[in-house]
């Protein structure tokens, strides 16, 4: 699957949910169940690739300002949520995370974050009665930090600091 098909399905799910993020996992699962196992495997690999791209200290610091999350167990599900928001928001998160301050982000994204990745696996298992194969995951070249200095963050992310004030 190319990235255009991946993002097209993500956008279709978002539009169909009418921005009710709690519906997104269920809508995604229904779309995946209408496909075949190879499609789901390919979709999952694209999803994993997106998560891999997002594992940067720059984005982790921005998410800390937005949500107060310091550990990877909270940060990575937030990345899942950002993916569910679609390609344009995800690209902002990757390349200009301070500009996330200009976007209305959901306050109850944790439901999507927990369920979104899970329904990919569930759909595959329902179609095949097997676990989805493991996919290549690229770990970041740098260790992700948990050391956040407010003064440094306010310089790096002035808009996020002003909006969220962490």
């Amino acid at each position: 699957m190319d990235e255009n098909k991946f993002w097209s399905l993500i956008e279709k799910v978002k539009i169909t949910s009418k921005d009710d993020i709690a519906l997104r996992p269920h809508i995604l699962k229904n779309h995946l169940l209408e496909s075949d196992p190879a499609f789901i495997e390919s979709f999952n690999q694209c999803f994993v690739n997106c998560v891999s791209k997002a594992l940067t200290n720059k984005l982790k610091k921005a998410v800390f300002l937005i949500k107060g999350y310091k550990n990877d167990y909270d940060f990575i599900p937030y990345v899942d949520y950002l993916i569910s928001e679609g390609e344009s928001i995800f690209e902002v998160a990757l390349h200009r995370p301070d500009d996330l301050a200009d976007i209305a982000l959901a306050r109850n994204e944790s439901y999507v974050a927990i369920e979104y990745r899970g329904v990919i696996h569930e759909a595959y298992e329902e179609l095949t009665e097997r676990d989805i194969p493991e996919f290549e995951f690229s770990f970041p070249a740098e260790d992700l930090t948990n050391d956040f200095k407010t003064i440094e963050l306010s310089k790096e992310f002035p808009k996020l600091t002003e909006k969220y004030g962490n």
Side-chain angles (χ1 to χ4, degrees):
M1 168 182 302
D2 67 13
E3 281 195 18
N4 290 330
K5 284 184 182 179
F6 171 80
W7 288 115
S8 176
L9 180 52
I10 296 287
E11 291 292 336
K12 187 175 186 178
V13 167
K14 184 178 178 184
I15 290 167
T16 304
S17 73
K18 296 180 173 64
D19 287 329
D20 181 347
I21 65 171
L23 293 177
R24 289 182 194 171
H26 307 291
I27 294 168
L28 176 61
K29 184 176 179 181
N30 289 336
H31 280 288
L32 293 174
L33 287 171
E34 294 171 1
S35 65
D36 59 52
F39 180 89
I40 298 172
E41 286 181 28
S42 185
F43 182 89
N44 190 48
Q45 183 64 61
C46 287
F47 193 88
V48 168
N49 291 346
C50 287
V51 172
S52 295
K53 288 179 197 175
L55 297 181
T56 66
N57 280 319
K58 189 170 188 171
L59 183 56
K60 189 171 184 185
K61 290 175 190 176
V63 170
F64 169 73
L65 288 168
I66 295 167
K67 297 300 290 183
Y69 296 154
K70 283 190 172 186
N71 66 52
D72 297 344
Y73 296 106
D74 294 321
F75 168 61
I76 293 172
Y78 197 77
V79 169
D80 292 0
Y81 160 69
L82 290 170
I83 294 167
S84 84
E85 281 291 289
E87 183 177 19
S88 61
I89 290 176
F90 185 69
E91 289 297 319
V92 167
L94 289 182
H95 303 292
R96 300 179 323 278
D98 195 40
D99 289 346
L100 289 173
D102 302 329
I103 298 168
L105 299 171
R107 290 286 186 214
N108 61 339
E109 82 293 327
S110 59
Y111 178 78
V112 171
I114 293 167
E115 296 293 320
Y116 213 72
R117 182 186 314 233
V119 299
I120 301 168
H121 294 254
E122 288 174 15
Y124 186 86
E125 290 167 11
E126 285 183 30
L127 287 178
T128 65
E129 297 182 356
R130 295 187 321 265
D131 289 340
I132 198 164
E134 294 290 325
F135 291 97
E136 289 184 31
F137 187 84
S138 299
F139 288 95
E142 60 186 341
D143 289 334
L144 294 179
T145 187
N146 289 324
D147 183 23
F148 303 101
K149 294 179 177 57
T150 306
I151 293 172
E152 291 174 15
L153 293 176
S154 66
K155 290 176 185 172
E156 189 173 359
F157 305 104
K159 293 192 287 187
L160 287 175
T161 302
E162 182 179 327
K163 183 172 183 175
Y164 296 103
N166 274 338

